[in-house]
Amino acid sequence: MLSIKNLHANVEDKNIIKGLSLEVKPGEVHAIMGPNGSGKSTFGYVLSGRDGYEVTDGEVVFDEKNILELEADERAKEGLFLAFQYPVEIPGVSNMEFLKASIDATRAHQGKEPYDAVAFMKLAREKCKAVNLDQDFLKRGVNEGFSGGEKKRNEIMQMMLLEPKLCILDETDSGLDIDALQVVADGVNACRNSDRSFIVVTHYQRLLDYIVPDYVHVLSDGKIIKSGGKELAHELEEKGYSWINQL
Ligand code: ADP
Ligand code: MG
Ligand code: MG
């Protein structure tokens, strides 16, 4: 599904990703861990095609397509979803309008008709319930005045509606309370299936107690320096990252 070979990428002319390779098969969950500043968030942004992130070498093939040639919105339509990427507020655009527009754009790309407004409303209400968000959130401006936890719930709802093939979650350094963490994990677990893959970026082992990964990779200075199974996350929690650097 995703094949990354020897990826090098710059931010602001500074080389941050320095030869990263990763293979993700359908249905797999890969956790990317690593110390602060190792390039985890940058990696997610590079995959999503965010402006200002320049790939200087290597290849990224997603679903047999070279996605490095595609713009961010085209990658999203191909089924790539970067969660927690919209911290921006969009006042005046309701969450419902925003969700329907993004989903209809994906459907159009797949040759499908836009959602019927009533059917979409029903579906969106169901998903609100699934992530424990009040239905009023659908009427509010995108992220306008949402708390950190509410933003994450909203993103999970968006993920459930978009049904992407590959989801990249960047658990940012900002702490989630235990309830929000549980909602994120339950949402991800509910979306797991044999076709859909996840890359979960986190530097806390805690999240991986709830979202149990198939593989754990340690990113250090823009490269994966160690890979293993879920037990690697526990080992890191116990021994810290310096242990790996000394190998
Ligand atoms: P992580 O998510 O692992 O904590 P980041 O990907 O956020 O790490 O950052 C990796 C490195 O890239 C850091 O040294 C950071 O300062 C640098 N970096 C990230 N974004 C920018 C930017 N926009 N301009 C300059 N340097 C950046
Ligand atoms: Mg950071
Ligand atoms: Mg980060």
Side-chain angles (χ1 to χ4, degrees):
M1 147 152 336
L2 179 72
S3 170
I4 301 171
K5 293 205 174 91
N6 191 33
L7 184 68
H8 291 254
N10 289 356
V11 185
E12 310 268 335
D13 290 328
K14 193 174 152 201
N15 183 219
I16 307 290
I17 303 298
K18 305 175 180 173
L20 192 156
S21 298
L22 181 68
E23 299 282 330
V24 179
K25 296 200 184 76
E28 289 179 350
V29 176
H30 290 247
I32 308 276
M33 302 184 76
N36 250 316
S38 55
K40 302 183 297 296
S41 296
T42 301
F43 173 53
Y45 291 138
V46 168
L47 286 185
S48 72
R50 190 185 248 215
D51 279 344
Y53 292 76
E54 188 205 354
V55 172
T56 54
D57 199 6
E59 61 172 53
V60 181
V61 176
F62 174 59
D63 232 16
E64 289 161 20
K65 292 186 189 77
N66 170 11
I67 58 160
L68 296 179
E69 287 171 353
L70 303 179
E71 297 294 329
D73 63 323
E74 294 168 327
R75 296 182 198 193
K77 287 176 196 160
E78 292 294 337
L80 192 75
F81 178 77
L82 179 65
F84 312 155
Q85 69 176 324
Y86 303 110
V88 285
E89 300 184 1
I90 317 178
V93 176
S94 80
N95 218 358
M96 176 74 96
E97 290 167 315
F98 177 76
L99 289 170
K100 189 167 186 303
S102 55
I103 287 155
D104 283 344
T106 305
R107 288 173 68 86
H109 185 75
Q110 296 164 347
K112 294 183 192 158
E113 296 282 308
Y115 253 111
D116 167 75
V118 176
F120 185 77
M121 176 80 89
K122 186 163 173 281
L123 187 66
R125 284 190 177 141
E126 270 172 35
K127 300 304 180 194
C128 260
K129 214 180 250 174
V131 296
N132 217 352
L133 265 183
D134 194 285
Q135 294 186 2
D136 286 348
F137 276 92
L138 294 169
K139 292 186 222 146
R140 280 167 62 178
V142 177
N143 283 332
E144 210 173 351
F146 288 16
S147 73
E150 287 164 352
K151 279 182 187 169
K152 301 247 167 172
R153 287 167 203 262
N154 196 46
E155 286 274 346
I156 293 296
M157 179 171 70
Q158 195 186 3
M159 183 173 85
M160 287 175 158
L161 287 165
L162 278 168
E163 304 192 315
K165 290 181 204 149
L166 174 66
C167 308
I168 304 161
L169 288 95
D170 187 356
E171 158 65 68
T172 50
D173 305 350
S174 67
L176 273 187
D177 66 39
I178 203 81
D179 290 344
L181 193 77
Q182 190 71 57
V183 167
V184 167
D186 288 349
V188 167
N189 289 330
C191 292
R192 277 176 91 157
N193 68 32
S194 57
D195 300 322
R196 184 168 299 131
S197 312
F198 293 83
I199 296 176
V200 180
V201 173
T202 180
H203 68 184
Y204 294 116
Q205 191 272 331
R206 194 177 59 158
L207 183 66
L208 304 179
D209 284 337
Y210 300 99
I211 304 172
V212 179
D214 298 301
Y215 298 96
V216 173
H217 309 277
V218 181
L219 192 66
S220 173
D221 195 21
K223 286 190 286 297
I224 289 173
I225 56 163
K226 191 171 175 65
S227 298
K230 59 177 187 286
E231 68 287 346
L232 179 56
H234 292 279
E235 220 168 347
L236 288 166
E237 180 80 350
E238 226 174 87
K239 302 183 189 167
Y241 291 113
S242 53
W243 155 68
I244 299 270
N245 289 325
Q246 286 157 10
L247 290 181

